[in-house]
Amino acid sequence: MAILDSKGRLFGKLSILDLGAALVILLVIVGIFFFPGTSGSVAQVGVTTKPIEVDLVVRGLNVRDPQQLFNEGLKEGGKTNIIIRNQPYGQIEVKSVKQLPRTLLVPQPDGSIREMTDPRANQFSTDMLLTLAGRAQITSTGPVLGNSKLKIGMPVELEGFNYNFNATVIDVRT
């Protein structure tokens, strides 16, 4: 009895192509489960992760009671969700929140201009300076949070329990 018959079947029942396909499937399964490879992508090899601080400025946030915003959601020592270029990064620590005074430029009789606090009582616009702290990958082109570079002038979206607004990066410190 021959191992291969005239139609190319092994022992008259199994095709050599069927046997090859089963062997390839078996090797793929072994490769996936027993040799999964290294974690991370090739682009992240040799990149260091360091703590960074990011200063953000918020101009003209329309809010009725800024103190409620600070007490209920955006508070020092708390966490906020950060979104950079429509890419969610996750949570990052809020290191400090400082409400900036609203000011007006007032012309003086001698022709100079003086900055004075805004006396209007019905203003619902708030300016803030926020400092966020987290860990970022430091590359040759700057810090990277998630998959997005973080540079001065970039708009960043902050989201939490009772807020969702945009801010602008004004400083990045490693």
Side-chain angles (χ1 to χ4, degrees), residues 10 17 24 77-78 152 166:
L10 191 62
L17 293 176
V24 168
I152 294 173
N166 292 327

Side-chain angles (χ1 to χ4, degrees), residues 116-128:
M116 301 183 81
T117 58
D118 193 351
R120 294 179 286 184
N122 64 349
Q123 72 179 8
F124 298 110
S125 183
T126 302
D127 295 341
M128 292 184 288

Side-chain angles (χ1 to χ4, degrees), residues 43-107:
Q44 296 175 349
V45 173
V47 176
T48 59
T49 302
K50 292 186 178 178
I52 65 164
E53 288 184 358
V54 180
D55 286 338
L56 305 169
V57 68
V58 180
R59 291 277 184 194
L61 178 64
N62 294 325
V63 60
R64 181 177 181 164
D65 185 10
Q67 201 57 44
Q68 179 186 5
L69 172 69
F70 302 143
N71 292 340
E72 304 253 340
L74 195 64
K75 53 182 149 183
E76 294 181 21
K79 299 240 182 223
T80 186
N81 293 318
I82 186 170
I83 301 166
I84 306 166
R85 292 186 178 173
N86 292 330
Q87 298 294 320
Y89 167 70
Q91 288 194 333
I92 192 166
E93 178 188 349
V94 178
K95 189 169 182 182
S96 70
V97 179
K98 180 181 176 187
Q99 189 172 357
L100 301 174
R102 295 287 292 189
T103 58
L104 295 171
L105 295 176
V106 179

